[in-house]
C-alpha cells in the first residue's frame, strides 16, 4: 500500500511588524500560527532564541505574541532593540519562521 501524505495547513495568521517604541513602554510583537495541532511558538532576537522561561520582562502570550514589559534602553545597554522573528514548530510537520520585525527604541 502506498502512503498518501495529505497536505496539512500550517501557516502564520499574524506576523510581527516593525515597531518604534520609547524607553519604559510595553511592546507586543504579534504572532499567531495556524495548524490543526497547536504549534509551539518561540521567538528569536537577532538570530538567537530567547529564553523566556527565566525572563522577567519578556513573556510569551497565549496566542504566540511576545510581550516586552518596560523596554530597556540606554547608551550602553540596548537589550530590546533589534530584529525579532517568530518561530512556529509542529512536531510532525516542521518549522516555519516569520518575517523579521525590527524593534527600534526612540531616544529622547
Amino acid at each position: 500500500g502506498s502512503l498518501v501524505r495529505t497536505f496539512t495547513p500550517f501557516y502564520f495568521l499574524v506576523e510581527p511588524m516593525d515597531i518604534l517604541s520609547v524607553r519604559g513602554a510595553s511592546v507586543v510583537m504579534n504572532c499567531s500560527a495556524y495548524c490543526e495541532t497547536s504549534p509551539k511558538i518561540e521567538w528569536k532576537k537577532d538570530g538567537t532564541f530567547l529564553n523566556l522561561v527565566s525572563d522577567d520582562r519578556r513573556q510569551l502570550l497565549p496566542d504566540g505574541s511576545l510581550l516586552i514589559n518596560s523596554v530597556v534602553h540606554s547608551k550602553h545597554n540596548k537589550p530590546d532593540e533589534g530584529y525579532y522573528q517568530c518561530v512556529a514548530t509542529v512536531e510532525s510537520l516542521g518549522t516555519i519562521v516569520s518575517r523579521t520585525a525590527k524593534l527600534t527604541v526612540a531616544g529622547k
Side-chain angles (χ1 to χ4, degrees):
S2 63
L3 182 71
V4 178
R5 251 191 90 94
T6 55
F7 176 73
T8 306
F10 178 28
Y11 52 87
F12 284 108
L13 296 166
V14 181
E15 293 189 59
M17 303 295 281
D18 292 353
I19 295 178
L20 176 62
S21 177
V22 291
R23 195 173 70 195
S26 289
V27 168
V28 174
M29 289 278 188
N30 290 310
C31 179
S32 182
Y34 171 81
C35 189
E36 288 158 16
T37 45
S38 287
K40 181 176 105 168
I41 302 285
E42 294 173 288
W43 281 86
K44 280 184 169 183
K45 176 181 179 284
D46 300 329
T48 305
F49 281 107
L50 289 172
N51 178 6
L52 300 171
V53 177
S54 59
D55 199 318
D56 50 353
R57 287 191 313 106
R58 291 185 272 220
Q59 68 187 69
L60 191 62
L61 298 177
D63 69 345
S65 298
L66 177 69
L67 170 67
I68 304 172
N69 280 310
S70 107
V71 166
V72 171
H73 196 78
S74 62
K75 196 185 231 170
H76 302 294
N77 187 27
K78 303 179 166 81
D80 296 325
E81 197 167 68
Y83 295 92
Y84 290 81
Q85 282 175 306
C86 176
V87 180
T89 305
V90 172
E91 204 53 56
S92 56
L93 282 178
T95 300
I96 54 177
V97 181
S98 74
R99 68 183 290 277
T100 302
K102 185 178 187 198
L103 173 61
T104 308
V105 183
K108 287 221 182 295

